[in-house]
Amino acid sequence: MIHVKWGRDILHFPTPPPNTPLGKLRADLAEYTHLPPTSFKLVHAGAVMKDDSAPLSAYKIRENSTIALIGGHSLPEAPSAAGVPRPPPPKQKALQTEEGTISAIHAELERVRSTLLPDVDAFVRALLHLPSDAETTTSAPTPDISSSLNSSSLSKPSPLDHTRLSELLLQSLLRLDALHMSGADWPEARQQRKAAVREVQGVLDRLDGAWAAR
């Protein structure tokens, strides 16, 4: 089976043959979700899959792969627990040079590190500690996990918390993908973008892994 994350839902489909065109999978998902095929993006391993004529093997889709379906409908904006408005995405109209692109990549990565990574850390630690805390006797006081975390820490992880963080990380991956300017021979920007995608994807994988192992 392959797994498709669509908003708060996870859809399961039989694993297609490796030579199946991406367009066939897109069409199947469009039929299942009743979305126009051009209204959503498919993301796997931190990269947007764009070439519908390419076989799924080119994107390393295999048994138990997880694909994110982004777009097609608008989820409500999810503010942080502290009620702080989310920062706007980086402006891309000014990206006319390699230096400008690298600067935008660094800004997006710093945004993830400063606003999302603390929430993911809090989520994972709370998720791992909740079982043992519940079993702690009164003679050994339960440590207050939230006291060592920031104000947006999650004291009791819920599916909504997981969905919110997952969606925000996927949006960051899409913004990084949008910074890629096809045809531009900018090796340093390309390397920086790949490194940023790997880092953000690693945070998303840690989030999903902790949630799956709960």
Side-chain angles (χ1 to χ4, degrees), residues 71-113:
H73 70 302
S74 299
L75 289 176
E77 293 293 324
S80 66
V84 179
R86 288 171 48 200
K91 295 181 180 179
Q92 297 179 31
K93 291 183 179 180
L95 300 182
Q96 302 296 331
T97 65
E98 182 174 19
E99 291 74 15
T101 301
I102 292 175
S103 178
I105 292 170
H106 289 171
E108 181 62 36
L109 191 56
E110 180 58 31
R111 183 175 293 108
V112 171
R113 290 170 175 169

Side-chain angles (χ1 to χ4, degrees), residues 32 41 81 85 94 143 149:
Y32 185 90
K41 294 183 178 182
L149 304 174

Side-chain angles (χ1 to χ4, degrees), residues 88-192:
K91 295 181 180 179
Q92 297 179 31
K93 291 183 179 180
L95 300 182
Q96 302 296 331
T97 65
E98 182 174 19
E99 291 74 15
T101 301
I102 292 175
S103 178
I105 292 170
H106 289 171
E108 181 62 36
L109 191 56
E110 180 58 31
R111 183 175 293 108
V112 171
R113 290 170 175 169
S114 62
T115 65
L116 292 181
L117 185 57
D119 279 356
V120 172
D121 286 341
F123 182 95
V124 172
R125 278 187 280 184
L127 198 63
L128 294 176
H129 283 79
L130 279 176
S132 59
D133 290 346
E135 296 171 2
T136 304
T137 62
T138 55
S139 59
T142 300
D144 183 3
I145 299 173
S146 61
S147 64
S148 62
L149 304 174
N150 59 35
S151 60
S152 62
S153 62
L154 305 170
S155 60
K156 186 177 181 181
S158 70
L160 184 60
D161 296 325
H162 173 255
T163 297
R164 178 182 71 87
L165 291 171
S166 179
E167 285 289 333
L168 294 178
L169 288 167
L170 285 169
Q171 289 171 17
S172 177
L173 288 171
L174 288 175
R175 286 193 291 270
L176 287 170
D177 180 78
L179 294 175
H180 174 66
M181 300 181 69
S182 58
D185 186 18
W186 294 342
E188 179 63 21
R190 185 166 57 250
Q191 181 180 359
Q192 293 281 347

Side-chain angles (χ1 to χ4, degrees), residues 3 5 42-49 58-62 64-68 169-170 173-174 177 193-194 196-202 204-205 208:
H3 317 289
K5 294 177 63 175
L42 298 175
V43 181
H44 179 251
V48 178
M49 300 185 289
Y59 295 106
K60 299 182 180 179
I61 302 297
R62 54 178 67 92
N64 288 324
S65 288
T66 298
I67 299 170
L169 288 167
L170 285 169
L173 288 171
L174 288 175
D177 180 78
R193 175 180 166 275
K194 287 182 178 179
V197 166
R198 282 196 299 269
E199 182 171 335
V200 176
Q201 182 65 42
L204 179 59
D205 289 344
D208 288 343

